[in-house]
Amino acid sequence: MNPATPEPRGTDLVFAERPNSPIRNEAAWIILIVDDDQGVHDVTRLALDGLEFDGRRLTFVSAQSGREAIELLRTRQDIALVLLDVVMESDHAGLRVIEVTRGEIGNPAVRFVLRTGQPGHAPERQVITDYDISDYKTKGELTAGKLYTTVVASLRTYRHIRALDQHRERAEATATALQRFFPGEYLALLQRAGITEVCLGDQIQREMTVMFVDVRGFTGMSETMSPAECFRFINRLFAHLCPIVREQHGIIDKFLGDGFLALFPRSADDALQVALALQRRMLAFNAEYGENVRIGIGVHTGVLMLGTVGDAARMEATVLSDAVNLSARLEALTKRYSAGVILSQQTLLATANPGAYGVRSIGEVHVPGKQAAIAIYELIDADSEQLRSAKMATAADFAEAVACYQTGAHGEACMLLQRVLNRCPDDEAAGLYLRLAAEALLGRAGRRVG
C-alpha cells in the first residue's frame, strides 16, 4: 500500500492537521480490521491515520481470524465498517463472517469491504452478487488512495442506512402511538391499510355487541380525592380492565370519564366472556388495593354504523346506533337491580350456546324511544359462587314472580318473592320486586278503601 495522504474531498472528510484538532462529534467511526497478517493491520492504520469523516475520527479494532471477528460483531453494535480478509483459518473464513453477521447476528447495517490476496478462492462477480458487501479488492490493488475512497464511500453508505433505520424507528413509534388514539382494529374494519388512508365519512354497517362499563359511585369517591388522585385511580383501574377487553378481540371505542364503551365485532360470546372476566378482576383489584369498588356492565347486540366523524381538521372514529344507546341504558339498570351485568335478550340469543351461561330473566323494560318492551337478563355467573348457587336454585320462583308482577298478580308475586328471599337473603333484585309488588298491593287496597 501507498500511505500517501489523499486530497480532502468536500466537507464530509478532512485529515486532521494536529492530533488534538477539534471534531464536531466525539463519537468515532469504529473500523474493524480482520486479517491474519499483522502487517496488514499496521499498514491500514498508517494509511488512515488522522482521517475524519463527517466530523468524526476513525477508531480501529483488530481481529486476527474470522472466529474472533464474529465474536466482536456479536458483542459490539457500533462497528460501522469491516475491512475483511477472505482466506484466514479457512479458505472462506471471511465469507463466513458476512453470513453470520447478516444471518445469525441480524446486523444489516455494518459495511464490509473484502480484501484478498488469493482472489481465486472467492471469485469477485460471485461474491458481489451473493453477499451484501460494499466493495471487493485484491490487496495488490488497494493503494492508500483507493483505500481512502473505499472507506469514505462505505462510511457514507453506513451513515445513510443508520439514518433510514432511525426514520423507520420513528415512523413505527409514531404509528404505534397513533394506534392508542385510533385503534388498528378500526382500520381493519374500515378496510384501510394505514391511518393515512382514513377519510372523513368512511363507514361500515354491521352487527356487533356493544358493552358499557361504569364505576359505581365514582362521583362520591372523587369528592375525597385531588384531581391527580382521581386520574391515578382511574388509570390504575383501567390498566387492570382494558387488557381483558383486547385479549378477547374487543375494541375500546372511547373512555367516558369513569367508564368506557367497548365493541365486539366477532361474537356476542366474546362480550359475555369479557363481562365475566371484568367482574372477577374487580375482586382481585379490591383485594390488592384495599378498595371496595364495583362496576356495572350493560351488554346489547344490534346493527350499528362505525365510521369517522368531525371535519377536515379534526376527526375521530365512533359508532352511531340505537344499539349503543340501549347498552348504556342497560348499564344504568344494573344500579336499579343491584346486578353486576345486565344483557339484552338479543345478546343472549346471539351467543353460540345460550344455555352455557348462568342467567335469569329480570323481566321486560320500556326504554325511551322504543315502542316494544325489551327483555333483559342478569348474568349471575358474574356473582360470587355462593350467591350464584342460591340464585340458580331460586331461578324458577324468581322468573314466575317477575311474570306475575308484570301481569298485575302482585299478591302471588309477593308470595313467590318472599320464598326466594327466604332461601337467598342477599338477592337484591328479589328484594326490589318484593317492595314494588307490596307497594302495588297497598296502593290498590288504598284505592278500594277510598
Side-chain angles (χ1 to χ4, degrees):
M1 291 185 183
N2 179 6
T5 303
E7 293 293 327
R9 304 189 180 187
T11 58
D12 282 331
L13 182 144
V14 296
F15 283 91
E17 297 180 2
R18 298 184 303 276
N20 61 348
S21 62
I23 55 177
R24 295 192 303 272
N25 189 329
E26 293 183 0
W29 300 104
I30 309 300
I31 311 296
L32 173 59
I33 305 171
V34 185
D35 203 294
D36 55 2
D37 183 349
Q38 182 59 43
V40 173
H41 292 259
D42 297 337
V43 171
T44 300
R45 291 170 183 265
L46 179 63
L48 298 175
D49 181 49
L51 180 64
E52 293 178 14
F53 172 69
D54 197 23
R56 298 162 62 180
R57 288 198 180 97
L58 274 57
T59 295
F60 299 97
V61 181
S62 290
Q64 304 293 327
S65 67
R67 286 188 296 272
E68 187 180 350
I70 288 172
E71 289 308 308
L72 281 169
L73 287 162
R74 285 189 193 280
T75 56
R76 297 196 61 158
Q77 299 298 311
D78 58 348
I79 296 173
L81 171 63
V82 181
L83 301 173
L84 179 63
D85 191 12
V86 176
V87 181
M88 290 175 284
E89 69 267 34
S90 69
D91 289 347
H92 299 93
L95 299 181
R96 176 61 180 163
V97 172
I98 301 171
E99 292 169 353
V100 172
T101 302
R102 300 297 192 222
E104 294 178 20
I105 298 174
N107 184 341
V110 61
R111 297 293 87 201
F112 286 98
V113 172
L114 282 179
R115 302 189 296 181
T116 181
Q118 305 177 55
H121 287 281
E124 181 176 354
R125 286 190 176 184
Q126 180 181 348
V127 171
I128 287 288
T129 301
D130 295 345
Y131 292 85
D132 177 16
I133 63 175
S134 293
D135 208 347
Y136 183 111
K137 300 289 186 185
T138 62
K139 293 181 179 178
E141 67 177 323
L142 198 58
T143 64
K146 289 184 178 180
L147 179 61
Y148 157 83
T149 302
T150 296
V151 168
V152 170
S154 299
L155 290 178
R156 185 175 285 117
T157 300
Y158 176 80
R159 183 184 63 184
H160 290 333
I161 291 174
R162 293 300 301 150
L164 288 173
D165 284 342
Q166 291 170 2
H167 288 310
R168 176 184 53 78
E169 290 168 2
R170 284 197 291 269
E172 291 175 352
T174 300
T176 300
L178 286 173
Q179 285 195 5
R180 298 163 68 185
F181 299 93
F182 196 102
E185 296 88 347
Y186 273 148
L187 296 176
L189 289 170
L190 294 172
Q191 298 182 344
R192 295 291 183 263
I195 195 168
T196 57
E197 297 182 11
V198 176
C199 299
L200 185 64
D202 284 349
Q203 49 79 31
I204 62 161
Q205 180 174 301
R206 60 177 291 179
E207 183 175 277
M208 295 187 197
T209 299
V210 185
M211 172 187 290
F212 257 88
V213 179
D214 186 63
V215 178
R216 300 274 182 80
F218 179 72
T219 302
M221 295 168 54
S222 63
E223 291 177 354
T224 64
M225 300 180 184
S226 68
E229 289 171 335
C230 284
F231 276 98
R232 280 197 298 270
F233 171 80
I234 285 296
N235 287 327
R236 184 174 62 198
L237 178 61
F238 285 166
H240 279 255
L241 302 183
C242 294
I244 297 173
V245 176
R246 289 187 288 269
E247 288 164 7
Q248 200 63 35
H249 311 286
I251 305 169
I252 296 178
D253 177 74
K254 57 175 58 69
F255 293 97
L256 306 162
D258 58 344
F260 58 83
L261 166 64
L263 309 175
F264 295 86
R266 199 178 72 155
S267 73
D269 290 280
D270 288 340
L272 294 189
Q273 290 300 322
V274 167
L276 291 171
L278 292 178
Q279 292 292 356
R280 291 165 184 160
R281 180 60 62 86
M282 288 307 304
L283 297 175
F285 177 86
N286 288 331
E288 180 176 351
Y289 295 103
E291 302 280 3
N292 186 28
V293 182
R294 298 177 65 191
I295 58 173
I297 301 174
V299 186
H300 176 62
T301 302
V303 176
L304 53 79
M305 289 184 63
L306 181 149
T308 54
V309 297
D311 63 14
R314 170 73 170 90
M315 66 179 179
E316 65 178 27
T318 191
V319 286
L320 301 173
S321 172
D322 181 60
V324 177
N325 298 330
L326 185 52
S327 64
R329 296 188 183 279
L330 295 183
E331 185 282 316
L333 288 174
T334 62
K335 303 179 183 70
R336 174 178 173 82
Y337 294 102
S338 299
V341 181
I342 289 182
L343 59 142
S344 65
Q345 186 176 50
Q346 288 89 332
T347 295
L348 185 62
L349 294 177
T351 62
N353 180 13
Y357 299 95
V359 298
R360 68 174 183 178
S361 171
I362 49 177
E364 295 182 341
V365 295
H366 288 275
V367 177
K370 286 282 189 180
Q371 292 184 349
I374 303 296
I376 60 175
Y377 294 81
E378 179 187 7
L379 185 63
I380 60 178
D381 279 346
D383 289 328
S384 66
E385 184 58 34
Q386 182 179 359
L387 183 57
R388 176 188 177 280
S389 297
K391 286 183 178 180
M392 288 295 290
T394 58
D397 283 344
F398 181 84
E400 186 179 355
V402 171
C404 289
Y405 173 81
Q406 294 192 325
T407 58
H410 299 126
E412 188 174 352
C414 285
M415 179 187 67
L416 290 166
L417 290 164
Q418 189 58 62
R419 192 157 67 190
V420 169
L421 288 167
N422 288 340
R423 298 180 63 184
C424 184
D426 294 328
D427 190 339
E428 297 186 50
L432 170 65
Y433 268 115
L434 180 58
R435 290 193 299 273
L436 294 174
E439 289 170 2
L441 279 175
L442 289 172
R444 193 163 58 194
R447 285 194 298 273
R448 285 200 300 267
V449 171

CSV table of all heavy atoms in Angstrom, one decimal, residues 1-8 13-21 23 29 31 33 40-53 56-60 83 115 144-145 147-148 151 155:
chain,number,residue,atom,x,y,z
A,1,MET,N,0.8,-1.2,0.0
A,1,MET,CA,0.0,0.0,0.0
A,1,MET,C,0.9,1.3,0.0
A,1,MET,O,2.0,1.3,0.5
A,1,MET,CB,-0.9,0.0,1.2
A,1,MET,CG,-1.9,-1.0,1.2
A,1,MET,SD,-3.0,-0.8,2.7
A,1,MET,CE,-4.1,-2.2,2.5
A,2,ASN,N,0.3,2.3,-0.6
A,2,ASN,CA,1.0,3.6,-0.6
A,2,ASN,C,0.3,4.5,0.5
A,2,ASN,O,-0.8,4.9,0.3
A,2,ASN,CB,0.9,4.2,-1.9
A,2,ASN,CG,1.6,5.6,-2.0
A,2,ASN,OD1,2.2,6.0,-1.0
A,2,ASN,ND2,1.4,6.3,-3.1
A,3,PRO,N,1.0,4.8,1.6
A,3,PRO,CA,0.3,5.6,2.7
A,3,PRO,C,0.2,7.1,2.4
A,3,PRO,O,0.0,7.8,3.3
A,3,PRO,CB,1.2,5.3,3.9
A,3,PRO,CG,2.5,5.0,3.3
A,3,PRO,CD,2.4,4.4,2.0
A,4,ALA,N,0.5,7.5,1.2
A,4,ALA,CA,0.4,8.9,0.9
A,4,ALA,C,-0.9,9.5,1.2
A,4,ALA,O,-2.0,8.9,1.0
A,4,ALA,CB,0.7,9.2,-0.6
A,5,THR,N,-0.9,10.7,1.7
A,5,THR,CA,-2.2,11.4,2.2
A,5,THR,C,-3.0,11.8,0.9
A,5,THR,O,-2.4,12.6,0.1
A,5,THR,CB,-1.9,12.6,3.1
A,5,THR,OG1,-1.1,12.1,4.2
A,5,THR,CG2,-3.2,13.2,3.5
A,6,PRO,N,-4.2,11.5,0.8
A,6,PRO,CA,-5.0,11.9,-0.3
A,6,PRO,C,-5.5,13.3,-0.1
A,6,PRO,O,-5.5,13.9,1.0
A,6,PRO,CB,-6.2,10.9,-0.4
A,6,PRO,CG,-6.3,10.5,1.1
A,6,PRO,CD,-4.9,10.5,1.6
A,7,GLU,N,-6.1,13.9,-1.2
A,7,GLU,CA,-6.7,15.2,-1.1
A,7,GLU,C,-8.0,15.2,-0.4
A,7,GLU,O,-8.8,14.2,-0.5
A,7,GLU,CB,-6.9,15.8,-2.5
A,7,GLU,CG,-5.6,16.1,-3.3
A,7,GLU,CD,-4.8,17.2,-2.6
A,7,GLU,OE1,-5.5,18.1,-2.1
A,7,GLU,OE2,-3.6,17.2,-2.7
A,8,PRO,N,-8.3,16.2,0.5
A,8,PRO,CA,-9.7,16.3,1.1
A,8,PRO,C,-10.7,16.4,0.0
A,8,PRO,O,-10.5,17.0,-1.0
A,8,PRO,CB,-9.6,17.5,2.0
A,8,PRO,CG,-8.1,17.8,2.1
A,8,PRO,CD,-7.5,17.3,0.9
A,13,LEU,N,-15.1,15.0,4.7
A,13,LEU,CA,-14.0,14.3,5.2
A,13,LEU,C,-12.8,15.3,5.1
A,13,LEU,O,-12.5,15.9,4.1
A,13,LEU,CB,-13.7,13.1,4.3
A,13,LEU,CG,-12.5,12.2,4.7
A,13,LEU,CD1,-12.9,10.8,4.5
A,13,LEU,CD2,-11.3,12.6,3.9
A,14,VAL,N,-12.0,15.3,6.2
A,14,VAL,CA,-10.7,16.1,6.2
A,14,VAL,C,-9.7,15.3,7.0
A,14,VAL,O,-10.1,14.5,7.9
A,14,VAL,CB,-10.9,17.5,6.8
A,14,VAL,CG1,-11.8,18.4,6.0
A,14,VAL,CG2,-11.4,17.4,8.2
A,15,PHE,N,-8.5,15.5,6.8
A,15,PHE,CA,-7.4,15.0,7.6
A,15,PHE,C,-7.1,16.0,8.7
A,15,PHE,O,-6.9,17.2,8.4
A,15,PHE,CB,-6.2,14.6,6.8
A,15,PHE,CG,-6.4,13.3,6.1
A,15,PHE,CD1,-6.9,13.3,4.8
A,15,PHE,CD2,-6.1,12.1,6.7
A,15,PHE,CE1,-7.0,12.1,4.1
A,15,PHE,CE2,-6.2,10.9,6.0
A,15,PHE,CZ,-6.7,10.9,4.7
A,16,ALA,N,-6.9,15.5,9.9
A,16,ALA,CA,-6.6,16.4,11.0
A,16,ALA,C,-5.2,16.9,10.8
A,16,ALA,O,-4.3,16.2,10.5
A,16,ALA,CB,-6.7,15.7,12.3
A,17,GLU,N,-5.0,18.3,11.0
A,17,GLU,CA,-3.7,18.9,10.9
A,17,GLU,C,-2.9,18.6,12.1
A,17,GLU,O,-1.7,18.5,12.1
A,17,GLU,CB,-3.8,20.4,10.6
A,17,GLU,CG,-4.5,20.7,9.2
A,17,GLU,CD,-4.6,22.1,9.0
A,17,GLU,OE1,-4.1,22.9,9.9
A,17,GLU,OE2,-5.1,22.5,8.0
A,18,ARG,N,-3.6,18.6,13.3
A,18,ARG,CA,-2.9,18.3,14.5
A,18,ARG,C,-3.6,17.2,15.3
A,18,ARG,O,-4.8,17.0,15.1
A,18,ARG,CB,-2.9,19.6,15.4
A,18,ARG,CG,-2.2,20.7,14.8
A,18,ARG,CD,-2.1,21.9,15.7
A,18,ARG,NE,-3.5,22.3,16.2
A,18,ARG,CZ,-4.2,23.1,15.4
A,18,ARG,NH1,-3.8,23.6,14.3
A,18,ARG,NH2,-5.4,23.5,15.9
A,19,PRO,N,-2.9,16.4,16.1
A,19,PRO,CA,-3.6,15.3,16.8
A,19,PRO,C,-4.7,15.7,17.6
A,19,PRO,O,-5.7,15.0,17.9
A,19,PRO,CB,-2.4,14.7,17.6
A,19,PRO,CG,-1.2,15.1,16.9
A,19,PRO,CD,-1.5,16.4,16.3
A,20,ASN,N,-4.6,17.0,18.2
A,20,ASN,CA,-5.7,17.4,19.1
A,20,ASN,C,-6.7,18.4,18.4
A,20,ASN,O,-7.3,19.2,19.1
A,20,ASN,CB,-5.0,18.1,20.3
A,20,ASN,CG,-4.2,19.3,19.9
A,20,ASN,OD1,-4.0,19.5,18.7
A,20,ASN,ND2,-3.8,20.1,20.9
A,21,SER,N,-6.8,18.3,17.1
A,21,SER,CA,-7.7,19.2,16.4
A,21,SER,C,-9.2,18.9,16.8
A,21,SER,O,-9.5,17.7,17.0
A,21,SER,CB,-7.6,19.1,14.9
A,21,SER,OG,-7.9,17.8,14.5
A,23,ILE,N,-13.2,18.2,16.9
A,23,ILE,CA,-14.1,17.5,16.0
A,23,ILE,C,-15.5,17.8,16.5
A,23,ILE,O,-15.7,18.1,17.6
A,23,ILE,CB,-13.9,16.0,15.9
A,23,ILE,CG1,-13.9,15.4,17.4
A,23,ILE,CG2,-12.6,15.6,15.3
A,23,ILE,CD1,-13.8,13.9,17.4
A,29,TRP,N,-16.0,6.7,14.3
A,29,TRP,CA,-16.4,5.6,13.5
A,29,TRP,C,-15.5,4.4,13.9
A,29,TRP,O,-14.3,4.5,13.9
A,29,TRP,CB,-16.1,6.0,12.0
A,29,TRP,CG,-16.9,7.1,11.5
A,29,TRP,CD1,-16.4,8.4,11.3
A,29,TRP,CD2,-18.2,7.2,11.1
A,29,TRP,NE1,-17.3,9.2,10.8
A,29,TRP,CE2,-18.5,8.5,10.7
A,29,TRP,CE3,-19.3,6.3,11.2
A,29,TRP,CZ2,-19.8,8.9,10.3
A,29,TRP,CZ3,-20.5,6.7,10.7
A,29,TRP,CH2,-20.8,8.0,10.3
A,31,ILE,N,-13.9,1.0,13.0
A,31,ILE,CA,-13.4,0.2,11.9
A,31,ILE,C,-12.8,-1.0,12.4
A,31,ILE,O,-11.9,-1.0,13.2
A,31,ILE,CB,-12.4,1.0,11.0
A,31,ILE,CG1,-12.9,2.4,10.7
A,31,ILE,CG2,-12.1,0.2,9.7
A,31,ILE,CD1,-14.1,2.5,9.9
A,33,ILE,N,-10.7,-4.2,11.6
A,33,ILE,CA,-9.7,-4.8,10.6
A,33,ILE,C,-9.6,-6.3,10.9
A,33,ILE,O,-9.2,-6.7,12.0
A,33,ILE,CB,-8.3,-4.1,10.7
A,33,ILE,CG1,-8.5,-2.6,10.5
A,33,ILE,CG2,-7.4,-4.7,9.6
A,33,ILE,CD1,-7.2,-1.8,10.8
A,40,VAL,N,-0.8,-6.2,7.6
A,40,VAL,CA,-1.9,-5.5,7.0
A,40,VAL,C,-2.6,-4.6,8.0
A,40,VAL,O,-3.0,-3.5,7.7
A,40,VAL,CB,-2.9,-6.6,6.5
A,40,VAL,CG1,-4.2,-6.0,6.0
A,40,VAL,CG2,-2.3,-7.4,5.4
A,41,HIS,N,-2.7,-5.0,9.3
A,41,HIS,CA,-3.3,-4.2,10.3
A,41,HIS,C,-2.5,-2.9,10.4
A,41,HIS,O,-3.0,-1.8,10.5
A,41,HIS,CB,-3.3,-4.9,11.7
A,41,HIS,CG,-4.2,-6.0,11.7
A,41,HIS,ND1,-5.4,-6.0,12.3
A,41,HIS,CD2,-4.1,-7.3,11.2
A,41,HIS,CE1,-6.1,-7.1,12.3
A,41,HIS,NE2,-5.3,-8.0,11.6
A,42,ASP,N,-1.1,-3.0,10.5
A,42,ASP,CA,-0.2,-1.9,10.7
A,42,ASP,C,-0.3,-0.9,9.5
A,42,ASP,O,-0.4,0.3,9.7
A,42,ASP,CB,1.2,-2.3,10.9
A,42,ASP,CG,1.4,-3.2,12.1
A,42,ASP,OD1,0.5,-3.1,13.0
A,42,ASP,OD2,2.3,-4.0,12.2
A,43,VAL,N,-0.3,-1.4,8.3
A,43,VAL,CA,-0.3,-0.5,7.1
A,43,VAL,C,-1.6,0.2,7.0
A,43,VAL,O,-1.7,1.3,6.6
A,43,VAL,CB,0.0,-1.4,5.9
A,43,VAL,CG1,-0.2,-0.5,4.6
A,43,VAL,CG2,1.5,-1.8,5.9
A,44,THR,N,-2.7,-0.5,7.3
A,44,THR,CA,-4.1,0.1,7.2
A,44,THR,C,-4.2,1.2,8.2
A,44,THR,O,-4.7,2.3,7.8
A,44,THR,CB,-5.1,-1.0,7.5
A,44,THR,OG1,-5.0,-2.1,6.5
A,44,THR,CG2,-6.5,-0.4,7.4
A,45,ARG,N,-3.8,1.0,9.4
A,45,ARG,CA,-3.8,2.1,10.4
A,45,ARG,C,-3.0,3.3,10.0
A,45,ARG,O,-3.4,4.4,10.2
A,45,ARG,CB,-3.3,1.6,11.8
A,45,ARG,CG,-4.3,0.6,12.4
A,45,ARG,CD,-3.6,-0.1,13.7
A,45,ARG,NE,-4.5,-1.1,14.3
A,45,ARG,CZ,-5.3,-0.9,15.3
A,45,ARG,NH1,-5.4,0.3,15.8
A,45,ARG,NH2,-6.0,-1.9,15.7
A,46,LEU,N,-1.8,3.0,9.4
A,46,LEU,CA,-0.9,4.1,9.0
A,46,LEU,C,-1.6,4.9,7.9
A,46,LEU,O,-1.6,6.1,7.8
A,46,LEU,CB,0.4,3.5,8.6
A,46,LEU,CG,1.4,4.5,8.0
A,46,LEU,CD1,1.8,5.5,9.1
A,46,LEU,CD2,2.7,3.8,7.5
A,47,ALA,N,-2.2,4.2,6.9
A,47,ALA,CA,-2.8,4.8,5.7
A,47,ALA,C,-4.0,5.7,6.1
A,47,ALA,O,-4.2,6.7,5.5
A,47,ALA,CB,-3.2,3.8,4.7
A,48,LEU,N,-4.7,5.3,7.1
A,48,LEU,CA,-5.9,6.0,7.5
A,48,LEU,C,-5.7,6.9,8.8
A,48,LEU,O,-6.7,7.4,9.3
A,48,LEU,CB,-7.0,5.0,7.7
A,48,LEU,CG,-7.4,4.2,6.5
A,48,LEU,CD1,-8.5,3.2,6.9
A,48,LEU,CD2,-7.9,5.1,5.4
A,49,ASP,N,-4.5,7.0,9.2
A,49,ASP,CA,-4.2,7.8,10.4
A,49,ASP,C,-4.6,9.2,10.3
A,49,ASP,O,-4.3,9.9,9.3
A,49,ASP,CB,-2.7,7.7,10.7
A,49,ASP,CG,-2.4,8.4,12.0
A,49,ASP,OD1,-3.1,8.2,13.0
A,49,ASP,OD2,-1.4,9.3,12.0
A,50,GLY,N,-5.3,9.7,11.2
A,50,GLY,CA,-5.7,11.1,11.2
A,50,GLY,C,-7.0,11.4,10.4
A,50,GLY,O,-7.4,12.6,10.3
A,51,LEU,N,-7.6,10.4,9.8
A,51,LEU,CA,-8.7,10.7,8.9
A,51,LEU,C,-10.0,11.0,9.8
A,51,LEU,O,-10.2,10.4,10.8
A,51,LEU,CB,-9.0,9.4,8.1
A,51,LEU,CG,-10.2,9.4,7.2
A,51,LEU,CD1,-10.0,10.4,6.1
A,51,LEU,CD2,-10.4,8.0,6.6
A,52,GLU,N,-10.7,12.0,9.3
A,52,GLU,CA,-12.0,12.3,9.8
A,52,GLU,C,-13.0,12.3,8.7
A,52,GLU,O,-12.8,12.7,7.6
A,52,GLU,CB,-12.0,13.7,10.5
A,52,GLU,CG,-11.1,13.9,11.7
A,52,GLU,CD,-11.2,15.3,12.2
A,52,GLU,OE1,-12.0,16.1,11.8
A,52,GLU,OE2,-10.3,15.7,13.0
A,53,PHE,N,-14.2,11.8,9.1
A,53,PHE,CA,-15.3,11.8,8.2
A,53,PHE,C,-16.6,12.3,8.9
A,53,PHE,O,-16.9,11.8,10.0
A,53,PHE,CB,-15.6,10.4,7.6
A,53,PHE,CG,-16.9,10.3,6.8
A,53,PHE,CD1,-17.0,10.9,5.6
A,53,PHE,CD2,-18.0,9.6,7.3
A,53,PHE,CE1,-18.1,10.8,4.9
A,53,PHE,CE2,-19.1,9.5,6.6
A,53,PHE,CZ,-19.2,10.1,5.4
A,56,ARG,N,-16.0,13.2,12.5
A,56,ARG,CA,-15.7,12.1,13.5
A,56,ARG,C,-14.4,11.4,13.1
A,56,ARG,O,-14.3,11.0,11.9
A,56,ARG,CB,-16.9,11.1,13.6
A,56,ARG,CG,-18.1,11.8,14.1
A,56,ARG,CD,-19.4,10.9,13.8
A,56,ARG,NE,-19.3,9.6,14.4
A,56,ARG,CZ,-20.3,8.7,14.2
A,56,ARG,NH1,-21.4,9.0,13.5
A,56,ARG,NH2,-20.3,7.6,14.9
A,57,ARG,N,-13.5,11.1,14.0
A,57,ARG,CA,-12.3,10.4,13.7
A,57,ARG,C,-12.6,8.9,13.5
A,57,ARG,O,-13.7,8.4,13.9
A,57,ARG,CB,-11.3,10.5,14.9
A,57,ARG,CG,-10.7,11.9,14.9
A,57,ARG,CD,-9.4,11.8,15.8
A,57,ARG,NE,-8.8,13.1,15.8
A,57,ARG,CZ,-8.9,14.0,16.8
A,57,ARG,NH1,-9.7,13.7,17.8
A,57,ARG,NH2,-8.3,15.1,16.8
A,58,LEU,N,-11.7,8.1,13.1
A,58,LEU,CA,-11.7,6.7,13.0
A,58,LEU,C,-11.1,6.0,14.1
A,58,LEU,O,-10.0,6.4,14.5
A,58,LEU,CB,-11.1,6.2,11.7
A,58,LEU,CG,-11.9,6.2,10.4
A,58,LEU,CD1,-12.5,7.6,10.1
A,58,LEU,CD2,-11.1,5.7,9.2
A,59,THR,N,-11.7,5.0,14.7
A,59,THR,CA,-11.1,4.2,15.7
A,59,THR,C,-11.0,2.8,15.2
A,59,THR,O,-12.0,2.3,14.7
A,59,THR,CB,-11.9,4.3,17.1
A,59,THR,OG1,-11.8,5.6,17.6
A,59,THR,CG2,-11.3,3.3,18.1
A,60,PHE,N,-9.9,2.1,15.4
A,60,PHE,CA,-9.7,0.8,14.9
A,60,PHE,C,-9.7,-0.3,15.9
A,60,PHE,O,-9.2,-0.1,17.0
A,60,PHE,CB,-8.3,0.8,14.1
A,60,PHE,CG,-8.2,1.8,13.0
A,60,PHE,CD1,-7.6,3.0,13.2
A,60,PHE,CD2,-8.7,1.5,11.8
A,60,PHE,CE1,-7.5,3.9,12.2
A,60,PHE,CE2,-8.6,2.4,10.8
A,60,PHE,CZ,-8.0,3.6,11.0
A,83,LEU,N,-13.0,-4.2,7.4
A,83,LEU,CA,-12.1,-4.4,6.3
A,83,LEU,C,-11.6,-5.9,6.5
A,83,LEU,O,-10.9,-6.2,7.4
A,83,LEU,CB,-10.9,-3.5,6.4
A,83,LEU,CG,-11.3,-2.0,6.3
A,83,LEU,CD1,-10.0,-1.1,6.6
A,83,LEU,CD2,-11.9,-1.7,4.9
A,115,ARG,N,-11.0,-7.8,1.3
A,115,ARG,CA,-9.6,-7.7,0.8
A,115,ARG,C,-9.0,-9.0,0.7
A,115,ARG,O,-8.9,-9.7,1.8
A,115,ARG,CB,-8.8,-6.7,1.7
A,115,ARG,CG,-9.4,-5.4,1.8
A,115,ARG,CD,-8.4,-4.4,2.5
A,115,ARG,NE,-8.2,-4.8,3.9
A,115,ARG,CZ,-7.3,-4.1,4.7
A,115,ARG,NH1,-6.8,-3.0,4.3
A,115,ARG,NH2,-7.1,-4.5,6.0
A,144,ALA,N,-3.3,3.4,-1.0
A,144,ALA,CA,-3.8,4.3,0.0
A,144,ALA,C,-4.9,5.1,-0.5
A,144,ALA,O,-5.9,5.4,0.1
A,144,ALA,CB,-2.7,5.2,0.5
A,145,GLY,N,-4.8,5.6,-1.8
A,145,GLY,CA,-5.9,6.4,-2.4
A,145,GLY,C,-7.2,5.6,-2.5
A,145,GLY,O,-8.2,6.1,-2.2
A,147,LEU,N,-8.0,2.9,-0.9
A,147,LEU,CA,-8.5,2.6,0.5
A,147,LEU,C,-9.3,3.8,1.0
A,147,LEU,O,-10.3,3.6,1.6
A,147,LEU,CB,-7.3,2.3,1.4
A,147,LEU,CG,-7.7,1.9,2.8
A,147,LEU,CD1,-8.6,0.7,2.9
A,147,LEU,CD2,-6.4,1.7,3.7
A,148,TYR,N,-8.7,5.0,0.8
A,148,TYR,CA,-9.4,6.2,1.2
A,148,TYR,C,-10.8,6.3,0.6
A,148,TYR,O,-11.8,6.5,1.3
A,148,TYR,CB,-8.5,7.4,0.9
A,148,TYR,CG,-9.3,8.7,0.7
A,148,TYR,CD1,-9.5,9.5,1.8
A,148,TYR,CD2,-9.6,9.2,-0.6
A,148,TYR,CE1,-10.2,10.7,1.7
A,148,TYR,CE2,-10.3,10.4,-0.7
A,148,TYR,CZ,-10.6,11.1,0.4
A,148,TYR,OH,-11.2,12.3,0.3
A,151,VAL,N,-13.2,3.5,2.0
A,151,VAL,CA,-13.6,3.8,3.4
A,151,VAL,C,-14.7,4.9,3.4
A,151,VAL,O,-15.7,4.8,4.1
A,151,VAL,CB,-12.4,4.1,4.3
A,151,VAL,CG1,-12.9,4.7,5.6
A,151,VAL,CG2,-11.5,2.9,4.5
A,155,LEU,N,-18.5,4.3,4.7
A,155,LEU,CA,-19.0,5.0,5.8
A,155,LEU,C,-20.2,5.9,5.5
A,155,LEU,O,-21.1,6.0,6.2
A,155,LEU,CB,-17.9,5.9,6.5
A,155,LEU,CG,-16.7,5.2,7.2
A,155,LEU,CD1,-15.7,6.2,7.7
A,155,LEU,CD2,-17.3,4.3,8.3
